[in-house]
Amino acid sequence: MILFKNVQIPQAEKWLKSDILIEHGRFEELSPNIDRSIVKKGEVVDAEGGFLLPALIDPHVHVREPGFDHKENWETCSKAALKGGFCTIFDMPNNKVPVVDSITLLEKKKIALKKSYVDFGLYIALTDENIEEIMKEEVQCEICGVKVYLAHTTGGLIVKSENALLNVFRQPKPVLIHTGGVQGLERILYFYEKASIQVPSLPILYICHVSTDEEVKLIKKYKKKFPNIFAEATPHHLFLNKSNYTHYNSVLPHLAQIEDSESLWNGIAEGVLNVIGTDHAPHTLDEKKGKNPPSGFPGLETALPLLFEACLDGRIKPTDLLHLTSITARSLFGIGEGEILKGRRADCVLLKEGNFLIGEDGYVTKCGWSPFNGRKIKYRPVMTITGGTTAYRSGKFYKRDISFLTMHSIKR
Ligand code: NCD
Ligand code: ZN
Ligand code: ZN
Ligand code: ZN
């Protein structure tokens, strides 16, 4: 049993002061004055007016293990997730040996089940040849989606075959696209539209890391015709732009102009961009500072403080924040709604106020750096609860049974 005294929770477009009782893994009672004496076994947490949000879900994470364990592994990545307020991560398939069949998929699942501190799901990558493999029941049962790389990035998985790009929309799982820019976006929209003539109910088309105004406009146009198109924004494309570029912070897609970032914020307000994915893509600082630096930023530990402050500053509405970081991804991937309501599974994160600097308490991600290092933040996550029990609190991690999520396995 956990009783939070004096927290603020999101309610419509406002923040509501309340106490919250968690019992049997669920939110049991939400009301202004819950008596401390009812907690016989468990603990009372005085939140001192801190904010309690649904724990976040990140549909775009590169855990790196197996193969690139020197950058990150399941333990360090899932701990970074918990520290950042995430209770669930979905892992991308661009490992050293890419995840393109049931053997590589099951090998990764085995490692993750042993080592992960958070619930997780796995993607498989589309190749020119593996659509039949992806369609197999034994693969469909294990994946939360299919990742399609249309352009170069870490891992070198690029799909060229037109048949593959058409047939991927004949399978039911969400299809996630690394477009490589507006041309790739146009290309996949062409195939999606073409598939719509033959396939009665198209799968979700999820556009990863949208970064430019041009892409926002194109997605806005197509969303009117295809409501199953969803688009992702990353914290680094929202909060950084070309002027923040230093020698080691290259990322794909590249940081764009400040006007592009503004367009992403507007896209969020207009419902064109629907999900925040951190695109947590750790590389070591030595790699980043060396010749031919790989692209990618770590992001799990910094997303929530940045977004939450944008919310308090009025850049995003509280309901939009919840949709972007939890509700929408949960509904796209079929894992329940994730709100702080009586009877719901208790996955939540407590944010406390202070004068903090990003990175002053170190990093849990194995790569140990952040492009946001040294930024001032007013709130940071201090406690993450998953399934009603404390998984992270003030620098300490607690392992519990975790769930492997596939799209039709879990309804909470
Ligand atoms: C990602 C990585 O390193 O795996 N890099 C990146 O710059 N975003 C791959 C990707 O998401 O494209
Ligand atoms: Zn099945
Ligand atoms: Zn990508
Ligand atoms: Zn990525």
Side-chain angles (χ1 to χ4, degrees), residues 275-327:
V275 176
I276 299 286
T278 66
D279 192 6
H280 178 83
H283 299 284
T284 67
L285 263 187
D286 279 350
E287 290 166 339
K288 295 295 279 186
K289 289 181 172 169
K291 273 188 207 146
N292 303 320
S295 300
F297 294 159
L300 284 165
E301 289 164 83
T302 49
L304 179 55
L306 293 166
L307 291 164
F308 188 68
E309 202 157 315
C311 183
L312 292 184
D313 292 346
R315 285 197 102 174
I316 340 174
K317 290 188 271 182
T319 42
D320 285 348
L321 180 68
L322 302 195
H323 278 87
L324 287 163
T325 59
S326 172
I327 298 170

Side-chain angles (χ1 to χ4, degrees), residues 60 62 64 92 94 147 149 152-154 178 209 236 250-253 279-283 294-297:
H60 191 157
H62 301 268
R64 305 294 193 206
M92 288 296 171
N94 61 334
K147 182 68 183 278
Y149 293 92
H152 171 78
T153 188
T154 310
H178 170 103
H209 44 46
H236 46 274
S250 66
V251 68
L252 285 170
D279 192 6
H280 178 83
H283 299 284
S295 300
F297 294 159

Side-chain angles (χ1 to χ4, degrees), residues 138-407:
E138 73 227 54
V139 170
Q140 285 287 318
C141 278
E142 305 286 347
I143 57 173
C144 50
V146 180
K147 182 68 183 278
V148 179
Y149 293 92
L150 290 178
H152 171 78
T153 188
T154 310
L157 281 159
I158 299 183
V159 183
K160 295 222 165 74
S161 155
E162 300 201 347
N163 273 333
L165 293 175
L166 199 57
N167 286 331
V168 71
F169 298 120
R170 292 181 188 275
Q171 64 77 53
K173 294 293 167 91
V175 178
L176 292 88
I177 314 289
H178 170 103
T179 62
V182 78
Q183 281 176 345
L185 178 59
E186 280 167 347
R187 184 139 184 265
I188 203 67
L189 290 169
Y190 165 81
F191 285 108
Y192 196 62
E193 191 156 29
K194 195 164 170 190
S196 75
I197 301 161
Q198 298 156 9
V199 184
S201 91
L202 286 173
I204 284 157
L205 176 61
Y206 179 107
I207 312 295
C208 293
H209 44 46
V210 173
S211 65
T212 63
D213 175 55
E214 216 180 345
E215 290 169 286
V216 174
K217 289 198 173 111
L218 194 57
I219 292 165
K220 184 174 176 179
K221 184 174 140 199
Y222 272 79
K223 259 176 101 74
K224 291 192 184 117
K225 191 165 171 202
F226 298 105
N228 262 351
I229 296 178
F230 293 85
E232 173 191 270
T234 72
H236 46 274
H237 292 113
L238 287 165
F239 291 97
L240 301 176
N241 57 66
K242 269 198 160 64
S243 71
N244 306 103
Y245 190 87
T246 68
H247 65 293
Y248 67 84
N249 70 6
S250 66
V251 68
L252 285 170
H254 295 305
L255 297 177
Q257 308 291 347
I258 189 157
E259 293 78 15
D260 292 300
S261 298
E262 284 309 319
S263 174
L264 300 185
W265 288 105
N266 290 334
I268 284 176
E270 292 182 353
V272 180
L273 300 174
N274 321 97
V275 176
I276 299 286
T278 66
D279 192 6
H280 178 83
H283 299 284
T284 67
L285 263 187
D286 279 350
E287 290 166 339
K288 295 295 279 186
K289 289 181 172 169
K291 273 188 207 146
N292 303 320
S295 300
F297 294 159
L300 284 165
E301 289 164 83
T302 49
L304 179 55
L306 293 166
L307 291 164
F308 188 68
E309 202 157 315
C311 183
L312 292 184
D313 292 346
R315 285 197 102 174
I316 340 174
K317 290 188 271 182
T319 42
D320 285 348
L321 180 68
L322 302 195
H323 278 87
L324 287 163
T325 59
S326 172
I327 298 170
T328 304
R330 282 170 178 275
S331 88
L332 294 186
F333 295 97
I335 52 170
E337 304 103 304
E339 285 172 273
I340 300 178
L341 296 171
K342 186 177 155 63
R344 291 279 170 82
R345 193 181 120 122
D347 293 323
C348 55
V349 50
L350 177 66
L351 288 139
K352 275 203 162 178
E353 193 180 0
N355 288 312
F356 305 117
L357 296 178
I358 284 185
E360 65 184 340
D361 54 342
Y363 296 103
V364 173
T365 172
K366 195 170 178 187
C367 73
W369 64 278
S370 161
F372 297 104
N373 192 53
R375 269 207 189 209
K376 284 186 188 150
I377 42 164
K378 290 195 216 83
Y379 283 85
R380 79 170 170 213
V382 291
M383 184 173 184
T384 306
I385 305 239
T386 62
T389 58
T390 304
Y392 168 76
R393 188 170 187 184
S394 313
K396 287 206 172 64
F397 299 90
Y398 305 91
K399 191 127 165 62
R400 61 167 193 92
D401 288 342
I402 45 120
S403 302
F404 172 61
L405 305 171
T406 71
M407 203 172 162

